[in-house]
Every structure is written in structure tokens, then in C-alpha cells.
């Protein structure tokens, strides 16, 4: 049963109600300033819930992640990325009929307006794929709105779920100098990840086939990325939804937030870090000491997490996926060997152990993408493909349960009031 707590400010007792969630409680401070003139200070919002959500839940101490109540390891074992995307968006797992309809709609909306190809060709080669993807996500809305202004909102979700993977594949093909498709690849409506790989890697005039282990590994990895409570990019999407920005501009903002090196950009930063260590002779102890040195800005990319003070459950699964894929594909890559060496030494080091710093999902995801043949500057684009259903679900949740607009306070530390002399 929820109760209240007493806050004693200069001998005056203020009663603050508690808010009860499914698993945890919070102190409701929504009337704090009104009643006490005080606000709270919580840099990085480490201790602050700014919303309620029923989409995912993380137990950081136990290393547990639930999507709509289902443990992530159960979903990865028993469901596909598309089935889990349906769950995240609709709250329940789909039956056969619902899954078929959901998958067909995604395949139906894959067609891009022909002008997109021309615009894509005009982007400079050097521009990062995440910059191109976020630009195109906004541009997409212009074409969809023109074509079918009566578009029901629900269909806009499918436009994104269908077109963003297509855009990702075109960005990859442009980088690799591969031709765009002469005609749309014949897609299997019930295998999103097969279609994705085919859009990336198929070459003209040659039948496309790919090892089913690669399809299965990528499908599981995409599922691991679908949602993760109020991470920086998801909170960004919710903030835009709270001021009623349209879905496409909200997702564009999410893509740009995810690009950050300390967030989704870490999967690319992990491989770049390993390449530097390798080039420097592979002395992992030297680099671990650099990461521990307060005066050194170097951090171990792919290590640490704001919420998990135990192993990230996704990392455990991603680690097994990476090891199995490398073994079965008989891949020998010094970068992958170095990653194992670094992990082994860091996990034994008391600095990381005492601060509860473990490898996060970005440490292993880059290894899998690399093994599949995806270039490192496309790793965060792959993260977008996984996280997209989660972002849409959060945008939808705000639309249906009206949150006040996100507008935090601040502690002002600037000049006192002064006048121009
Ligand atoms: C993702 O939020 C999410 O859920 C994100 C994500 C998702 O699914 O959306 O899980 C995806 O973004 C994973 C994180 C990817 N980023 C990285 O791998 C970058 C490297 N990691 C660090 O930058 C850091 O661990 C963060 C940013 C992930 C978390 O930082 P916090 O929670 O703000 O912790 P902190 O920076 O305050 O660190 C606490 C202490 C500090 O030491 P002290 O000042 O207390 O002495 O731990 C140290 C830090 O210096 N520390 C590290 C470290 N991470 C934390 N020291 C060396 N190497 C590291 N990686």
C-alpha cells in the first residue's frame, strides 16, 4: 500500500505522497515547489522518474530486462524480432493472423518515393551514415504526407518500420558502390531480417542466399535492442512527443541522440578503441590503466552502464551469440581476440569490479556486426533498426496518455541582475 513521507524543512513538516509502480516506489514531488519554494537537483536525472511507462522495465541490481513483462532472454529464445516488435507496440504477443497482417504491412510500405534515390546520391561520400539516416527520416515525412495525407497515424508506424531498414540498406550500398535495386527485392513477408540482409548484401544477376545462423544471430541482436526504459534517445523521443512534434521529427531526434559516442555510438567506438589498442601493440593492461586514471580522459568503450550495476542481461546473450557465430563461421579476427583479452582483464580488475562496471551491449554488438560484414560506421544505424519499435511505442504511449510537456527546471549560477551602464 502506498503511503506518504514527511519532509522536514526548517522545522516545517511537508507530507509527500509516494507513487507506486509495478515493482518500485517513488516520492511524488510534483507539488514540491508550490508548497515549499524548493526544487530538487539531480544532474543527469540519475534518481528521477519523469514519466510512467508500461513498455519495458530494468532491474539494474539483478541484471534483468522485461519487455511488457516478458524477460528478454525468453523473448530472444522463443520469438522473432518482428513478433517482439508487435509485443512492444501493442502490449501483447501476436497470434498467427495478427503477425501475418503486421508483417505484410511492413513489406507493403517498403516502397520509397523515387526522388529519395536522387537526393541520396547527392550526399557527400564522407558524411556519416547516421547523419544521412536522420536527414532522410525527416525528409520521408514530406513524401508520405504528400502521397497520402489522410494517412492514419497507425500506418505511419509501418511506414517507418518498413522504410528505415530500406534507407539503411541504400546508405550501405551507396558507401560500398553497390547499385541500388533495379526493382524491389522480392521479400519474404515473414522474415524481416532475411529481407534486411538481402537489401544490404544482394548483388544483381546472382541469386541471394545467406547462412541461416547469420539471419538468426542478427534477428536476436535486433530484439535485444528494441527497448530500454528511459535511455537518452528514448527520453528524447518522449520529450518531442510531449510537445506534439510529429512522429518522424521525434524519431529523427532519437536517431541524433543515439549517435552520441557515450550512447548508441559506443558500438562503433568499441571497435575503434580495439583497433587503436591493437595498433599500439595490444597491451590491454596499459589501456585498462589509462581508463582507470582520473587524469586521462580515456574510457573503456562498451563498459559501464547508468542502470546495470550487474551484468547487462543483453550483453550475456550478445556475448554467446558472438562466440557461437565466430566459432561456426570459423572467423579468426585479431580484433575479436583482443576484445576477449580486454574483457578478461577488466572483469578481474578491482577498479571495474568495485564500481560495478561491466561490459554493456555495445561491447559485443559491434563484434557481431563486424562478423556479419557490416562496416563499423553502420553499427549505430543497426542500433536504430533495433530500437525503432521501442521509440515508436514510447511516442504512441505519450500520445495516448497525455504527459505534461517535458520542461525541467535549473539551478541558475549566472550573474546577479545588473543594468547597462
Ligand atoms: C548505451 O541508458 C541506456 O539504457 C543506454 C543503452 C540503451 O540500450 O539505450 O544501454 C545503450 O548507451 C550503453 C552505454 C554505451 N556507452 C559506453 O559504453 C561508453 C563508455 N561508458 C561510460 O561512458 C559510462 O559507463 C556510461 C556513460 C555508460 C554511464 O555513465 P554514468 O552512469 O553516468 O556513470 P559515470 O560516468 O558517472 O561513471 C561512474 C564512475 C566514474 O568514476 P568516479 O568519478 O566515480 O571515480 O565509473 C567510472 C567513471 O569514471 N566509469 C568508467 C567507465 N564508465 C564509468 N571508467 C572507465 N571506463 C568506463 N567505461
Amino acid at each position: 500500500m502506498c503511503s506518504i513521507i514527511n519532509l522536514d524543512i526548517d522545522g516545517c513538516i511537508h507530507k509527500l505522497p509516494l507513487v507506486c509502480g509495478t515493482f518500485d516506489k517513488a516520492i511524488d514531488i510534483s507539488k514540491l515547489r508550490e508548497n515549499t519554494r524548493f526544487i530538487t537537483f539531480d544532474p543527469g536525472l540519475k534518481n528521477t522518474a519523469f514519466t510512467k511507462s508500461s513498455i519495458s522495465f530494468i532491474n539494474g541490481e539483478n541484471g534483468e530486462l522485461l519487455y511488457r513483462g516478458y524477460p528478454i532472454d525468453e523473448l530472444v529464445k522463443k520469438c522473432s524480432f518482428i513478433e517482439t516488435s508487435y509485443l512492444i507496440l501493442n502490449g501483447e504477443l501476436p497470434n498467427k493472423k495478427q503477425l501475418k497482417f503486421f508483417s505484410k504491412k511492413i513489406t507493403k510500405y517498403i516502397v520509397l518515393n523515387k526522388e529519395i534515390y536522387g537526393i541520396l546520391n547527392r550526399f557527400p561520400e564522407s558524411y556519416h551514415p547516421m547523419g544521412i539516416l536522420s536527414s532522410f527520416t525527416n525528409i520521408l515525412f514530406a513524401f508520405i504526407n504528400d502521397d497520402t495525407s489522410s494517412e492514419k497515424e497507425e500506418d505511419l508506424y509501418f511506414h517507418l518500420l518498413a522504410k528505415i531498414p530500406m534507407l539503411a540498406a541504400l546508405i550501405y550500398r551507396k558507401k560500398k558502390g553497390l547499385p541500388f535495386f533495379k526493382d524491389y527485392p522480392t521479400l519474404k513477408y515473414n522474415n524481416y531480417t532475411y529481407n534486411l540482409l538481402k537489401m544490404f548484401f544482394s548483388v544483381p544477376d546472382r541469386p541471394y542466399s545467406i547462412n541461416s545462423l547469420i539471419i538468426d544471430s542478427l534477428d536476436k541482436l535486433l530484439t535485444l535492442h528494441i527497448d530500454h526504459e528511459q535511455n537518452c534517445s528514448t527520453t528524447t523521443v518522449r520529450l518531442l512527443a510531449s510537445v506534439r512534434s510529429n512522429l518522424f521529427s521525434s524519431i529523427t531526434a532519437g536517431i541524433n541522440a543515439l549517435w552520441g559516442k557515450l550512447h548508441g555510438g559506443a558500438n562503433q567506438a568499441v571497435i575503434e578503441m580495439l583497433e587503436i589498442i591493437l595498433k599500439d601493440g595490444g597491451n590491454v593492461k596499459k589501456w585498462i590503466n589509462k581508463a582507470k586514471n582520473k587524469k586521462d580522459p580515456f574510457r573503456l568503450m562498451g563498459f559501464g552502464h547508468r542502470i546495470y550495476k550487474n551484468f547487462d542481461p543483453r550483453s550475456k546473450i550478445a556475448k554467446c551469440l558472438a562466440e557461437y557465430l565466430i566459432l561456426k563461421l570459423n572467423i579468426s579476427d585479431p580484433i575479436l581476440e583482443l576484445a576477449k583479452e580486454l574483457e578478461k582483464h577488466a572483469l578481474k580488475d578491482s577498479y571495474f569490479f568495485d564500481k560495478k562496471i561491466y561490459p554493456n551491449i555495445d561491447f559485443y554488438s559491434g563484434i557481431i556486426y563486424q562478423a556479419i560484414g557490416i562496416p563499423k560506421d553502420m553499427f549505430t544505424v543497426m542500433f536504430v533498426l533495433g530500437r525503432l519499435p521501442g521509440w515508436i511505442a514510447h511516442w504512441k504511449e505519450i500520445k495516448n496518455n497525455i504527459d505534461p510537456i517535458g520542461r525541467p527546471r535549473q539551478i541558475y549560477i549566472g550573474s546577479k541582475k545588473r543594468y547597462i551602464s
Side-chain angles (χ1 to χ4, degrees):
M1 183 50 198
C2 276
S3 51
I4 53 164
I5 62 152
N6 292 327
L7 178 65
D8 180 339
I9 299 179
D10 304 334
C12 179
I13 303 297
H14 298 272
K15 296 193 177 306
L16 298 177
L18 294 186
V19 179
C20 294
T22 309
F23 298 108
D24 38 24
K25 287 185 182 178
I27 302 167
D28 181 345
I29 56 167
S30 47
K31 297 266 185 288
L32 182 71
R33 190 171 187 282
E34 191 182 317
N35 298 336
T36 70
R37 299 296 299 159
F38 277 87
I39 58 174
T40 55
F41 180 56
D42 185 19
L45 301 177
K46 292 190 174 186
N47 304 285
T48 301
F50 88 116
T51 189
K52 292 178 183 173
S53 177
S54 56
I55 299 170
S56 64
F57 174 75
I58 302 172
N59 181 325
E61 285 67 30
N62 300 348
E64 196 180 34
L65 169 60
L66 307 179
Y67 285 170
R68 299 283 189 186
Y70 292 102
I72 187 66
D73 38 349
E74 174 136 334
L75 289 165
V76 165
K77 240 184 262 147
K78 299 179 179 168
C79 299
S80 69
F81 169 67
I82 282 300
E83 283 173 298
T84 312
S85 299
Y86 183 99
L87 167 70
I88 280 286
L89 280 162
N90 299 294
E92 296 300 337
L93 284 166
N95 59 36
K96 278 202 173 28
K97 193 162 161 267
Q98 288 164 329
L99 180 62
K100 188 169 180 179
F101 178 74
F102 188 73
S103 305
K104 282 204 161 191
K105 275 197 97 166
I106 291 177
T107 317
K108 170 185 164 198
Y109 281 126
I110 204 165
V111 180
L112 291 174
N113 185 295
K114 62 187 181 326
E115 289 183 51
I116 293 267
Y117 295 85
I119 300 168
L120 181 58
N121 270 324
R122 278 202 285 282
F123 267 87
E125 296 294 330
S126 56
Y127 196 31
H128 194 284
M130 282 294 277
I132 303 175
L133 186 62
S134 83
S135 313
F136 269 101
T137 303
N138 240 343
I139 295 171
L140 273 182
F141 194 46
F143 291 110
I144 292 169
N145 241 359
D146 286 356
D147 296 354
T148 49
S149 52
S150 61
E151 200 68 59
K152 283 194 317 300
E153 186 172 279
E154 169 96 4
D155 287 347
L156 294 180
Y157 306 154
F158 289 103
H159 274 291
L160 277 172
L161 291 170
K163 291 179 163 66
I164 299 291
M166 183 60 145
L167 277 175
L170 291 175
I171 292 166
Y172 167 79
R173 296 180 78 90
K174 170 180 161 67
K175 276 175 59 63
K176 286 289 179 189
L178 283 170
F180 293 160
F181 324 107
K182 284 202 304 298
D183 49 24
Y184 272 77
T186 37
L187 303 174
K188 297 182 185 169
Y189 79 77
N190 61 346
N191 196 326
Y192 172 94
T193 306
Y194 166 81
N195 294 339
L196 180 67
L197 290 162
K198 182 172 185 178
M199 291 191 283
F200 265 74
F201 298 118
S202 62
V203 287
D205 313 327
R206 222 178 298 161
Y208 179 72
S209 73
I210 185 158
N211 184 325
S212 59
L213 174 64
I214 292 180
I215 301 171
D216 185 56
S217 304
L218 181 57
D219 197 80
K220 287 178 165 44
L221 191 59
L222 289 169
T223 300
L224 291 176
H225 283 87
I226 290 181
D227 198 55
H228 214 235
E229 284 194 2
Q230 296 305 317
N231 58 84
C232 180
S233 51
T234 298
T235 296
T236 302
V237 172
R238 285 184 81 106
L239 285 173
L240 269 81
S242 75
V243 291
R244 308 295 175 261
S245 290
N246 72 62
L247 174 64
F248 286 67
S249 53
S250 303
I251 298 297
T252 301
I255 292 173
N256 289 319
L258 188 74
W259 193 0
K261 187 176 155 191
L262 297 186
H263 188 13
N267 53 22
Q268 174 178 345
V270 166
I271 299 294
E272 287 167 345
M273 170 187 74
L274 293 170
E275 285 168 347
I276 290 167
I277 297 175
L278 198 61
K279 204 161 156 222
D280 179 55
N283 178 348
V284 291
K285 284 200 178 127
K286 171 186 165 189
W287 288 85
I288 285 175
N289 288 333
K290 272 173 70 68
K292 289 158 58 175
N293 177 355
K294 285 275 139 267
K295 294 193 192 71
D296 191 322
F298 174 74
R299 287 283 171 275
L300 277 193
M301 289 293 111
F303 276 76
H305 199 276
R306 170 65 58 76
I307 307 282
Y308 289 118
K309 299 310 168 195
N310 193 322
F311 232 89
D312 178 336
R314 304 169 299 170
S315 305
K316 278 188 192 163
I317 299 166
K319 179 179 178 182
C320 295
L321 288 175
E323 287 173 346
Y324 189 65
L325 193 66
I326 292 158
L327 178 75
K328 287 293 175 191
L329 296 185
N330 199 15
I331 297 172
S332 73
D333 178 340
I335 285 286
L336 309 182
E337 291 312 310
L338 184 66
K340 276 194 205 158
E341 184 75 5
L342 180 68
E343 181 206 22
K344 195 177 73 185
H345 281 86
L347 289 182
K348 280 191 304 204
D349 189 298
S350 59
Y351 170 91
F352 296 96
F353 190 78
D354 296 347
K355 290 179 186 291
K356 301 185 176 14
I357 299 170
Y358 298 98
N360 57 51
I361 188 159
D362 291 307
F363 186 71
Y364 301 106
S365 57
I367 293 171
I368 296 172
Y369 296 138
Q370 178 128 317
I372 290 177
I374 290 166
K376 64 184 175 209
D377 62 356
M378 287 288 295
F379 288 178
T380 314
V381 168
M382 301 309 287
F383 196 143
V384 171
L385 300 184
R387 186 56 47 93
L388 184 59
W391 285 336
I392 296 171
H394 281 272
W395 190 85
K396 199 177 152 188
E397 188 172 65
I398 288 252
K399 292 277 289 173
N400 301 338
N401 319 304
I402 306 292
D403 256 5
I405 75 162
R407 199 262 180 244
R409 294 253 178 188
Q410 63 166 25
I411 301 280
Y412 175 68
I413 53 173
S415 308
K416 288 195 171 38
K417 190 152 83 173
R418 53 188 172 154
Y419 297 92
I420 299 168
S421 46

